[in-house]
Structure formats: C-alpha cells, structure tokens
Amino acid sequence: MDRLSGSARLMIVSDLDSTMVDHDDPENLSLLRFNALWEAYYRHDSLLVFSTGRSPTSYKRLRNRKPLLTPDITIMSVGTEITYGESMVPDNSWTQYLNQKWNRDIVIEETAKFPQLTPQSESEQRPHKVSFFVEEVKAMEIMNVLSERLEKCGLDVKIIYSSGIALDILPQGAGKGQALAYLLKNFKVDGKVPINTLVCGDSGNDAELFSIPEVYGVMVSNSQEELLQWYAQNAKNNPNIIHATERCADGIIQAIGNFCLGPNVSPRAIKDFQKCKVDIFSLGHEVVKFYLFYERWRRAEVVSSEQYVQNLKSVFYPLGIFVHPSGVEQPFHQCIDSMTRLYGDKQGHRFRIWVDRVSCAQIGSDTWLVKFDKWELSGDELQCGVTTVLLSLKQAEVPDGFTWVHMHQTWLDGSRARDQTVICF
C-alpha cells in the first residue's frame, strides 16, 4: 500500500456479515463505535482490510445500506478477488495465479449432476467462484463425491461450506487465508510487513484466516458452531486466538484491548469529553470528537448547556469561515449559533454522523490540513460532504487541543441534501 511509507502499526482483516456488521443491530451502534475508534486512532498509520464472501456487486449493496468505512484493501468472493483503495483497483497477478488447474466450465458441468445444489444468484457467481445453497445434512456427502469427480477431471479445487447453507467451489489456491498470505508475502517483499495483524471472523469460510502464522485472531461472540468446532479441533491451544464475549464489531474492539494492540476505547463510548481527557495527540480524534458532540447535541443526548456552547466557540477561530457545499460562506460563530438553535431537533429520530478516510498533512510548524468524508444519516436521507479543515495549535488560549481555523465542504458525487436552508457544519 502506497498510502503508508512504512509498516502498518496494525492491520485488521475482518469478515463483514455478522463480524464487522451486526445485522441484528438496526442502529449499527457497534459498527459506529468501531468506525470512531479507527478514524480517531488508527487510520493514519494502520490498514483496514475487509475479507468477505460477498461478490463485488453484493459488497457494494452492503456499503449502501450500512455505515462501513472505506477499507485499504478489499478481499471478496471468498478470497478470489483482491482490490486496492477506494477505486477498488484489481490485483491482476492474483487473478492469474488462480487460473492454475481451474476450469469454471467443468465445475459447472459437474455440479449440474447434483440436483440437491441450488445455484446462488448470478451476481454471486464469479470467474473463480461457483456458489450454491445446500442443506447441511447433505453437504458433507456432496462435498466428498464432488471433490473426487473434479480431481479426476484434472482440477485442483477447494470446497468450502459455511453458515449452514452456503457451498463455494474455488481454485485450491484461493480462499480468505491464501489471499491474506499473498498480501503478507507482498508486504514482506516491499519491507512493509505490518507490526501486528488481527483477523476477525464468525463462520466456516473465515477459519483459514486463523491458520495464518503470527497473526492474532478473534472469533466474535456470535460465531457459528462450524467455526467454534474448527477452533476446538485445530487452535484451542493457540493463545493468540480468542472467542470474544462481545458481538461483532464490539468483539473486534475487545480483541484490540485483549492483545494490547493499541487504543481500545472508542470515542463513542465516552459520554463527556470534558471529564474524560484523551492523552493522545490525534487530529483524527479531534474531528471524531467534534462530530460526535454535534450528533449528540441534535439528538439531545447532552445537556443544553451554555458552557458547552462556550467551549465549542473557544476551539473555533473567531474570524474563521465555513464554506458550505452549496457555496455559501458563513463565519464560524454564525454556524455555532445555528447549531445552538437546532438542539434536540433529531431527538427520537434516526440521526447519525460518522467520518471516513481521515488524512492529515502538516503544512506548518503547528498547522495541519485535515481531509475526510463526513457522512450524515437523517431518516432515510444519506449525504456525504468531502471536508477539508485547517487546524492550528497557534491559539494559545486553547488549553487542550487545536483551533479550527477554516472549513470547506463539497458534496460527494451523487450526494446532496434536500434541505440546504440550514447552514451548519
């Protein structure tokens, strides 16, 4: 990854469904807690990798429905596709490697002889992945017979059964574990092996991740029996793998603390930043903290206090300007006045804010340019402002942080608020 000049402090490799994403949590609170932790303390020097069984089409649908951060690397289709960055640039070398002893047409021809196999949707059928649904009681027998037949056809395949229903046929060299091993090998060639790697999963197709040497691993508390059985048979004596007591993304945060991999208290878990000071120099934390307060103010989850307003004014430069995506320019103090009047307007409503892709560049001895995507969900409306902030330590009267000197937002392509009459951060 070119984004980091050296080794990542931490690389998290996480499954999505029922690991990073809790489908039983309609408010997405555990995911939002992870998001705040990652952008506050890890984004600047660490790597986030999503490793999912979903196809690119299905993965993008999930991203449209859930507040997922932008990963540095995306491994999809059970380890058969690897892409990089926001633009999802494909790894063609990995694709060429998987072509060895693989013939998709033969796989389709042989699997058609098993009426018990129900093909998954067309979007889930990929160049190096053929996917079916099958009842659990029939799965093992089919896997054994099918494996023998494909071997006789000269193919070297891997058959993975997960979630008690999904059967995937892949090249032998594919899989979530092999994809991670491939990435680590490339990092080693570049002299950028991550200092620590944490793998996270909940189902059978995640088991390979835990087999990679020298990684830490967490099976979230809601892990399926198939993964727990694999653990009992293969890794129960490995002290670097734990079964978390917390669900999904909260289990990932728990593992960060358990293995002492870095900060493990999400800013979302801190109710009052005035009483709980964070002794870490972090521009990301400054941004996350502000938008958490903004969200809580509008949800009436903090007390409507003049002291809060004065504290807010103290960290914004008196002559600073906010440039709204609509092009309207407004002094910071007017924005704060507008925000004050909005207290509690989202109470009892679906309203969340999170930031993504926080990046910082020091442009002076005590001045930084911070860029990030600010996402706002209000009811069913989701909008994103690409934001640039100038932060400075020059204002000595701010005892414990930065001064916000200037802010500029533009709409992300395809994102625009219906109501642009309220000019507020």
Side-chain angles (χ1 to χ4, degrees):
M1 289 299 299
D2 296 332
R3 184 174 67 80
L4 302 182
S5 59
S7 297
R9 173 166 58 110
L10 174 64
M11 181 167 75
I12 286 185
V13 182
S14 178
D15 174 52
L16 291 178
D17 295 287
S18 300
T19 301
M20 184 65 75
V21 176
D22 188 346
H23 293 288
D24 292 330
D25 177 10
E27 288 286 321
N28 301 303
L29 293 179
S30 63
L31 178 55
L32 289 170
R33 279 189 287 269
F34 176 84
N35 291 356
L37 179 71
W38 189 260
E39 295 298 332
Y41 304 127
Y42 290 96
R43 175 67 80 174
H44 66 288
D45 65 358
S46 299
L47 293 173
L48 181 61
V49 181
F50 290 156
S51 183
T52 178
R54 287 176 177 260
S55 66
T57 299
S58 179
Y59 166 65
K60 290 172 184 176
R61 280 201 303 264
L62 183 67
R63 288 206 58 165
N64 288 334
R65 297 195 339 259
K66 295 291 183 178
L68 285 165
L69 297 180
T70 302
D72 297 285
I73 304 172
T74 312
I75 301 170
M76 294 167 289
S77 305
V78 198
T80 62
E81 298 180 68
I82 300 175
T83 66
Y84 300 94
E86 180 191 13
S87 301
M88 299 181 68
V89 178
D91 189 322
N92 294 323
S93 296
W94 179 244
T95 301
Q96 293 172 8
Y97 168 73
L98 295 183
N99 285 331
Q100 301 176 44
K101 291 190 175 182
W102 171 258
N103 188 311
R104 193 174 186 280
D105 291 337
I106 292 177
V107 173
I108 292 174
E109 181 181 334
E110 290 299 319
T111 53
K113 299 173 183 177
F114 293 82
Q116 308 95 320
L117 295 175
T118 301
Q120 293 184 25
S121 65
E122 191 61 33
S123 67
E124 296 308 297
Q125 311 300 336
R126 305 297 298 168
H128 296 95
K129 181 174 81 79
V130 183
S131 298
F132 300 90
F133 294 122
V134 62
E135 295 178 20
E136 191 168 5
V137 293
K138 302 175 182 177
M140 190 56 65
E141 180 183 357
I142 291 175
M143 289 169 68
N144 291 334
V145 175
L146 186 57
S147 181
E148 291 179 5
R149 290 189 182 180
L150 291 174
E151 186 177 352
K152 289 179 180 178
C153 293
L155 304 188
D156 193 9
V157 304
K158 173 186 297 182
I159 304 177
I160 298 177
Y161 189 67
S162 61
S163 303
I165 191 170
L167 186 146
D168 298 307
I169 305 171
L170 325 169
Q172 183 61 241
K176 291 185 176 184
Q178 280 85 341
L180 174 56
Y182 170 83
L183 292 176
L184 290 171
K185 179 181 177 181
N186 287 345
F187 282 130
K188 186 174 183 179
V189 169
D190 294 338
K192 294 183 178 182
V193 176
I195 297 171
N196 289 303
T197 297
L198 173 66
V199 300
C200 321
D202 77 295
S203 71
N205 68 15
D206 300 316
E208 291 183 356
L209 291 172
F210 299 95
S211 301
I212 302 299
E214 299 179 1
V215 303
Y216 295 99
V218 56
M219 302 176 297
V220 292
S221 69
N222 52 292
S223 290
Q224 297 181 27
E225 188 61 31
E226 63 207 26
L227 180 60
L228 299 179
Q229 287 180 359
W230 176 90
Y231 171 75
Q233 295 168 6
N234 299 278
K236 64 180 180 180
N237 295 321
N238 186 343
N240 290 336
I241 299 177
I242 65 167
H243 184 195
T245 58
E246 300 287 343
R247 289 178 57 85
C248 299
D250 283 336
I252 299 173
I253 295 174
Q254 179 185 353
I256 292 173
N258 183 86
F259 296 123
C260 302
L261 301 178
N264 69 314
V265 177
S266 171
R268 275 195 177 269
I270 299 173
K271 298 303 181 184
D272 190 339
F273 292 107
Q274 296 300 316
K275 296 179 180 178
C276 185
K277 303 294 183 182
V278 177
D279 193 23
I280 300 174
F281 180 86
S282 170
L283 295 151
H285 177 262
E286 183 74 12
V287 170
V288 169
K289 180 176 68 172
F290 168 70
Y291 280 108
L292 272 175
F293 175 78
Y294 179 74
E295 175 192 295
R296 291 169 178 173
W297 181 266
R298 296 190 64 178
R299 288 173 59 92
E301 293 177 348
V302 295
V303 177
S304 179
S305 161
E306 181 60 27
Q307 183 62 49
Y308 278 133
V309 176
Q310 292 307 314
N311 288 341
L312 194 60
K313 288 182 176 180
S314 73
V315 299
F316 279 85
Y317 181 51
L319 301 179
I321 297 293
F322 170 57
V323 182
H324 187 266
S326 64
V328 175
E329 297 185 9
Q330 195 168 80
F332 279 153
H333 68 85
Q334 288 186 19
C335 294
I336 295 173
D337 290 342
S338 296
M339 174 180 158
T340 303
R341 292 190 292 271
L342 293 173
Y343 178 81
D345 71 320
K346 299 298 183 180
Q347 186 174 18
H349 297 278
R350 192 180 183 208
F351 182 75
R352 297 292 178 189
I353 295 176
W354 64 96
V355 297
D356 184 19
R357 298 197 305 145
V358 176
S359 65
C360 312
Q362 188 166 4
I363 59 175
S365 60
D366 48 16
T367 308
W368 288 262
L369 200 63
V370 184
K371 297 182 179 181
F372 55 92
D373 295 338
K374 174 237 174 180
W375 289 91
E376 181 176 306
L377 176 66
S378 182
D380 293 328
E381 182 182 1
L382 179 64
Q383 62 189 55
C384 178
V386 180
T387 309
T388 302
V389 176
L390 188 65
L391 293 178
S392 175
L393 284 174
K394 289 182 179 178
Q395 310 302 319
E397 63 270 18
V398 182
D400 61 347
F402 304 88
T403 297
W404 294 56
V405 178
H406 184 82
M407 185 188 299
H408 185 279
Q409 281 185 355
T410 58
W411 294 123
L412 186 70
D413 290 345
S415 175
R416 186 178 298 271
R418 297 189 193 115
D419 181 6
Q420 299 192 44
T421 59
V422 178
I423 307 299
C424 190
F425 299 118

